[in-house]
Amino acid sequence: MEWRQYELNDETIDQISTWIQDSCDRIGVVKREKHRIRLSIEDLLAKIKQHSETSVSVQAGIGKQYGKWVFCLQYGGEAFDPADYDDDDWSERIKQNLGMTPVWSYRRNRNTITFTLKERSRHGMTFYILAAVALALVLGILGRVIPKDIRTGIDMVLLAPLSDAFMGLMNTFAGLMIAFAICSGILGMGNPSTLQRIGKKFLGQIILLSVLASIFAFILTIPVVGVGISDRGGATISELATLSEMLFAILPSDPVSPFLNKNTMQIIIISLLLGIGMLLIGEQGNHLRNLIEQGTKLFSQLMEIICRMIPIYVFTALLRQIWNDDITVYLQAWKPVVMSTCLIVVFVVLMIIFTAWQIRCPVPLLFRKILPAFLAAFSTASSIAAFGPSMEAGEKLGIDKSFMRFAYPIGSVMYMPAAAIFLSVFTVFFADEYGIGISISWLITAVIIVSLLSIAVPPLPGAGLMIFSTLFAQLGIPAEALVLATLMYIPLDYAVAGGDIAALLSELTREAEQMGIIDREKLIS
């Protein structure tokens, strides 16, 4: 570790933040992380200075721990965590669960704050997936000269077990990841009053918009794809009974079978009820609350490790399909990609126009102020990476800073209308390709699952495959569709991230206007 000593004041705060910025450039920290880290460090140092009644000496260090670059702050005195948050600060809890806040510890009369710095990798997940596709294509073509019985043997002995093992791991932890993420999000609200205040408005609008985006996509996709609805003739008693049975089947009969059967809908219901129940009992559930939060971090880490094996799964599954002459569906892959992109653009543009009309703001001006944040998310395929540009966009839009700092982390995790749109398009496309009968009850189930999954699944690497796995299993779409869905998601991931951020900023502007916490001079300037 390289250490530097400072007497904390306004001048040295600038010196430390400049030093860490230069160090990030030197070691190759991910570009989108630099701005956030510097702002976070300046904020923490200011809180330390404000808390201390006397002059405080701070040691700042940068180096490697366990093979990863870290930045540390150390200072003496009583235990004080400047990154601590109130029980009601839901946004800070969300940022902590996403790894956007540092780790604090206190030992031997010294406070230590540690940031993990994300180095810029030479190749991202997209590169390795495309490399796996290229290798599968080459070996698939060359393998055609191998006798069929040998190919079958390789498939049975190596390829099929690898593919099944990966999907087994994915399915084992995906349900638990969703359950812990939902519980942690609800518990992060702090108390029942916060739940009531937020749930009636912000969360309700998030869910409503996801449902509307899903319905919007289904209505426009079904006629374009040319899918027929089997029971369009009318609602018979039998059909109503089936629909009623489907709706009530959302409620689990026991707490274990939903996880064993991988019933995503029932897992979400259990998680919601458990989280709300624990929130209502307050401090009596603190031990269980800590267990839930630790479990969320644990399963997030496990899913990240599993998702690093996605290129291996793509290679094995695609090679099997090529050898088995099961690739005709790939020839139609461009259709849902183009359809999803067009619908996302149309939906986001309509949202911005609607917001501009409600807040009495010129549409081009609103577009121009949202554009930098959209480009940041679009270029990185990450809503979290767009934190800095989004906060700057919020300031230019005149949105109250405290509201933005609270609402953006929540929205960046749960406000996913673009994700709901592409999931809806993919669902119709694969249902048509694999001959899945589409009925009214099937569509209602699809809308509910798509809407909840787009909100419930956290923004982790490989989360797209997690969504497809749970969604397809619930709707009867074969697992063979996962490979193509993963490949189609690569170019769409950028459009989805950009569309979600643009829609979120539009929504936050409208909310701020309705609550009277917007500076109209900044908005229209």
Side-chain angles (χ1 to χ4, degrees):
M1 296 284 290
E2 177 187 353
W3 292 96
R4 295 188 180 184
Q5 189 84 20
Y6 297 92
E7 288 297 321
L8 198 58
N9 53 51
D10 292 340
E11 182 179 352
T12 55
I13 289 176
D14 290 336
Q15 292 175 3
I16 294 173
S17 64
T18 301
W19 178 51
I20 185 61
Q21 184 79 15
D22 294 339
S23 299
C24 286
D25 292 333
R26 176 170 52 85
I27 65 178
V29 171
V30 178
K31 183 178 180 180
R32 61 179 180 269
E33 290 288 300
K34 297 176 186 177
H35 182 67
R36 180 182 65 81
I37 291 173
R38 179 168 183 170
L39 289 177
S40 298
I41 290 173
E42 290 177 351
D43 183 55
L44 295 178
L45 291 172
K47 289 181 179 179
I48 295 171
K49 175 176 174 293
Q50 183 180 7
H51 175 77
S52 178
E53 297 179 355
T54 59
S55 177
V56 57
S57 179
V58 173
Q59 276 190 315
I62 189 168
K64 280 196 171 184
Q65 288 184 356
Y66 308 108
K68 293 185 177 181
W69 283 97
V70 297
F71 175 76
C72 293
L73 287 173
Q74 291 187 348
Y75 49 97
E78 63 180 2
F80 171 65
D81 180 9
D84 194 14
Y85 47 83
D86 297 330
D87 287 340
D88 289 346
D89 200 338
W90 187 25
S91 61
E92 288 298 322
R93 286 185 177 273
I94 288 178
K95 286 191 286 186
Q96 185 188 63
N97 290 334
L98 291 174
M100 295 178 64
T101 53
V103 176
W104 171 83
S105 62
Y106 184 73
R107 186 179 181 185
R108 296 179 182 176
N109 297 323
R110 289 197 68 79
N111 296 272
T112 301
I113 299 176
T114 305
F115 288 84
T116 300
L117 307 178
K118 298 181 181 179
E119 298 178 70
R120 186 187 303 112
S121 59
R122 292 183 178 180
H123 306 297
M125 178 65 73
T126 300
F127 171 84
Y128 291 110
I129 291 178
L130 294 177
V133 171
L135 182 60
L137 290 174
V138 171
L139 293 182
I141 295 172
L142 295 177
R144 304 292 295 182
V145 302
I146 301 175
K148 186 174 182 180
D149 56 343
I150 296 180
R151 295 203 309 266
T152 302
I154 295 174
D155 186 8
M156 295 176 61
V157 174
L158 181 61
L159 300 181
L162 278 175
S163 181
D164 293 342
F166 174 82
M167 289 310 304
L169 284 173
M170 175 68 73
N171 292 330
T172 297
F173 293 105
L176 291 169
M177 175 70 259
I178 293 172
F180 275 91
I182 293 174
C183 281
S184 180
I186 294 176
L187 292 174
M189 297 182 193
N191 55 55
S193 63
T194 306
L195 172 63
Q196 184 179 19
R197 185 174 66 252
I198 298 175
K200 284 185 175 180
K201 191 168 182 64
F202 196 61
L203 283 181
Q205 290 185 353
I206 286 175
I207 295 174
L208 176 61
L209 189 64
S210 295
V211 173
L212 292 177
S214 177
I215 294 174
F216 167 81
F218 276 116
I219 289 176
L220 294 180
T221 303
I222 287 175
V224 172
V225 175
V227 179
I229 299 179
S230 60
D231 46 11
R232 187 175 294 177
T236 64
I237 296 297
S238 176
E239 175 61 24
L240 291 176
T242 302
L243 181 58
S244 175
E245 182 180 354
M246 180 272 297
L247 292 175
F248 281 104
I250 294 174
L251 301 176
S253 58
D254 64 82
V256 178
S257 59
F259 294 92
L260 295 177
N261 300 329
K262 303 177 182 62
N263 191 317
T264 306
M265 294 292 294
Q266 293 185 353
I267 290 174
I268 292 174
I269 294 298
I270 290 175
S271 306
L272 288 171
L273 295 177
L274 182 60
I276 293 172
M278 291 174 58
L279 199 63
L280 292 175
I281 64 176
E283 295 182 358
Q284 300 177 41
N286 281 345
H287 292 296
L288 190 53
R289 176 197 294 263
N290 293 333
L291 179 63
I292 293 293
E293 293 185 350
Q294 292 168 8
T296 302
K297 296 176 182 178
L298 169 64
F299 285 108
S300 296
Q301 188 65 38
L302 286 175
M303 288 305 300
E304 286 191 22
I305 294 173
I306 292 172
C307 288
R308 291 173 186 171
M309 296 185 287
I310 288 178
I312 299 176
Y313 170 74
V314 170
F315 167 75
T316 56
L318 181 57
L319 182 58
R320 294 182 66 199
Q321 291 177 343
I322 294 174
W323 280 358
N324 294 326
D325 296 319
D326 189 21
I327 60 172
T328 54
V329 67
Y330 284 75
L331 301 177
Q332 307 296 323
W334 62 272
K335 292 182 180 179
V337 174
V338 173
M339 185 73 179
S340 298
T341 304
C342 293
L343 291 183
I344 289 172
V345 171
V346 171
F347 189 84
V348 172
V349 168
L350 289 176
M351 277 200 64
I352 294 177
I353 293 174
F354 177 71
T355 297
W357 172 71
Q358 280 212 323
I359 66 175
R360 303 180 305 281
C361 172
V363 174
L365 180 62
L366 191 58
F367 269 106
R368 179 167 56 83
K369 294 194 173 186
I370 291 176
L371 182 61
F374 163 79
L375 293 176
F378 179 80
S379 60
T380 59
S382 171
S383 58
I384 303 302
F387 180 83
S390 295
M391 297 301 293
E392 294 176 3
E395 184 175 356
K396 292 179 180 179
L397 290 166
I399 302 174
D400 180 72
K401 288 184 179 180
S402 60
F403 176 69
M404 273 295 296
R405 295 184 72 88
F406 162 77
Y408 180 81
I410 300 171
S412 65
V413 173
M414 303 179 68
Y415 200 82
M416 304 287 183
I421 288 173
F422 93 81
L423 285 174
S424 302
V425 175
F426 278 29
T427 299
V428 174
F429 172 78
F430 285 112
D432 178 56
E433 289 293 332
Y434 288 96
I436 306 299
I438 295 181
S439 64
I440 296 296
S441 59
W442 188 92
L443 281 174
I444 293 175
T445 304
V447 168
I448 295 173
I449 297 175
V450 165
S451 302
L452 292 178
L453 279 180
S454 64
I455 296 171
V457 177
L460 296 173
L465 183 58
M466 188 196 311
I467 295 176
F468 296 137
S469 175
T470 54
L471 177 64
F472 291 174
Q474 193 74 27
L475 296 175
I477 298 173
E480 289 79 5
L482 290 175
V483 179
L484 181 55
T486 302
L487 297 179
M488 292 157 60
Y489 180 68
I490 291 175
L492 268 178
D493 195 16
Y494 297 89
V496 169
D500 283 332
I501 287 302
L504 174 60
L505 288 173
S506 174
E507 179 67 23
L508 294 180
T509 304
R510 191 169 64 86
E511 289 290 327
E513 171 69 19
Q514 291 180 351
M515 291 187 291
I517 53 174
I518 196 168
D519 187 339
R520 291 202 60 84
E521 290 185 2
K522 286 186 177 180
L523 174 64
I524 62 176
S525 63

